[in-house]
């Protein structure tokens, strides 16, 4: 039911639109989406760190693999010399055996180091897979929240469009000066959008203060379609 007083109807429409805009800003999906996006950003930087470690481990792995290959080749070379029959001097043979054992020992150490690196690579691959799974779950949640937010916003926007059309229809009924006073008062934060009031007895129901008797009686004699301002709070007083 539209209020017979266009000014009151205008205030009602504007208050309803304010409430809708506040609800639009405070939609829970918006806050949740923000949380998910922050989590996704944190996860992304964690994943970048893991990928850097993966590259470093790859370099370590190639390096230690070269060391294994070199030590093995060197040991094989010494072994070949040792059993070639070309070296006959006992001390030289003994020296070669010492050298062979040394390279074989080094080869085993490098092989162990290589296994350790490969173990770290496996752990890291598991870690990255877990991050990716979490990332996919977050992306899916964010997608649902996006859709829910868009739907809730569209619903409110349709309602705001309807209110704007109703407002336009009410505004044409108001004298320009009254509309200008209304807009000026609405822009005052202290009135919180409640800018239209009535005089009840000798009290303004906007500020709940008593108005001067002379004002009240003068106002009572004015035409019913005129508007004036409360001398206390400045609100537009309706008959
Ligand atoms: Zn007042």
């Amino acid at each position: 039911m539209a209020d017979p007083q266009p000014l009151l109807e205008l205030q009602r429409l504007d208050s309803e639109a304010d409430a809708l805009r506040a609800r639009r800003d405070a939609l829970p999906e918006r806050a949740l989406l923000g949380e998910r996006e922050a989590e996704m950003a944190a996860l992304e930087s964690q994943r970048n760190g893991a990928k850097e470690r993966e590259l470093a481990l790859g370099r370590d792995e190639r390096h230690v693999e070269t060391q294994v290959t070199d030590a093995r080749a060197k040991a094989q070379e010494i072994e070949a010399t040792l059993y070639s029959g070309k070296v006959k001097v006992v001390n030289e043979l003994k020296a070669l055996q010492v050298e062979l054992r040394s390279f074989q020992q080094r080869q085993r150490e490098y092989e162990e180091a290589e296994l350790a690196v490969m173990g770290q690579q496996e752990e890291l691959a598991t870690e990255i897979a877990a991050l990716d799974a979490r990332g996919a779950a977050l992306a899916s949640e964010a997608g649902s929240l996006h859709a829910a937010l868009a739907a809730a916003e569209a619903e409110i926007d349709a309602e705001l469009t309807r209110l704007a059309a109703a407002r336009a229809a009410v505004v044409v009924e108001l004298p320009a000066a009254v509309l200008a006073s209304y807009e000026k008062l609405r822009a005052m934060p202290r009135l919180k959008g409640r800018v239209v009031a009535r005089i009840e007895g000798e009290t303004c129901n906007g500020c709940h203060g008593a108005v001067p008797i002379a004002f009240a009686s003068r106002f009572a004699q004015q035409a019913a379609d005129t508007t004036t301002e409360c001398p206390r709070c400045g609100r537009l007083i309706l008959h």
Side-chain angles (χ1 to χ4, degrees), residues 203-231:
T203 303
C204 161
N205 75 354
C207 60
H208 306 293
V211 293
I213 296 170
F215 174 84
S217 61
R218 198 167 58 244
F219 181 71
Q221 285 156 20
Q222 284 177 353
D225 61 349
T226 56
T227 326
T228 190
E229 290 180 9
C230 167

Side-chain angles (χ1 to χ4, degrees), residues 19-237:
L20 278 173
R21 277 187 287 267
R23 208 174 89 206
R24 194 184 194 281
D25 288 345
L27 283 170
E29 290 87 353
R30 197 186 309 284
L32 287 172
L33 187 59
E35 284 173 25
R36 294 295 168 279
E37 280 169 350
E39 273 184 75
M40 282 162 81
L43 197 73
E44 183 64 22
S45 91
Q46 227 180 317
R47 191 183 190 280
N48 288 343
K51 291 302 272 186
E52 270 174 39
R53 276 186 287 144
E54 190 180 50
L55 283 176
L57 279 176
R59 284 191 294 271
D60 289 353
E61 211 275 328
R62 284 190 296 280
H63 177 65
V64 81
E65 194 181 0
T66 307
Q67 288 179 311
V68 169
T69 309
D70 289 352
R72 185 185 296 129
K74 191 71 189 161
Q76 282 168 349
E77 187 191 317
I78 297 166
E79 224 170 358
T81 311
L82 194 58
Y83 300 114
S84 65
K86 287 177 192 159
V87 182
K88 306 230 177 346
V89 182
V90 174
N91 280 348
E92 279 180 28
L93 285 170
K94 277 184 181 167
L96 277 174
Q97 275 166 342
V98 169
E99 209 184 350
L100 175 62
R101 276 197 294 277
S102 157
F103 276 103
Q104 283 169 336
Q105 176 62 27
R106 243 185 267 183
Q107 184 189 333
R108 278 192 296 277
E109 283 166 9
Y110 292 145
E111 279 167 351
E112 276 170 32
E114 190 178 17
L115 281 177
V117 172
M118 285 162 81
Q120 282 176 284
Q121 283 176 316
E122 264 178 52
E123 270 178 44
L124 194 57
T126 308
E127 190 184 319
I128 291 172
L131 289 174
D132 285 346
R134 179 74 187 128
L138 279 173
S140 153
E141 272 182 66
S144 305
L145 284 169
H146 250 302
L149 180 62
E153 282 178 344
E155 199 178 311
I156 291 174
D157 289 346
E159 191 63 10
L160 284 170
T161 303
R162 189 190 66 74
L163 288 174
R167 187 186 206 276
V170 171
V171 158
V172 294
E173 292 179 43
L174 290 167
V178 172
L179 186 62
S181 295
Y182 171 86
E183 300 288 15
K184 184 193 75 190
L185 291 168
R186 246 191 87 75
M188 294 180 177
R190 70 179 170 89
L191 298 181
K192 298 186 173 76
R194 285 173 36 251
V195 305
V196 181
R198 284 180 195 276
I199 299 286
E200 290 165 351
E202 276 150 19
T203 303
C204 161
N205 75 354
C207 60
H208 306 293
V211 293
I213 296 170
F215 174 84
S217 61
R218 198 167 58 244
F219 181 71
Q221 285 156 20
Q222 284 177 353
D225 61 349
T226 56
T227 326
T228 190
E229 290 180 9
C230 167
R232 291 174 53 94
C233 65
R235 285 186 172 89
L236 289 170
I237 305 290

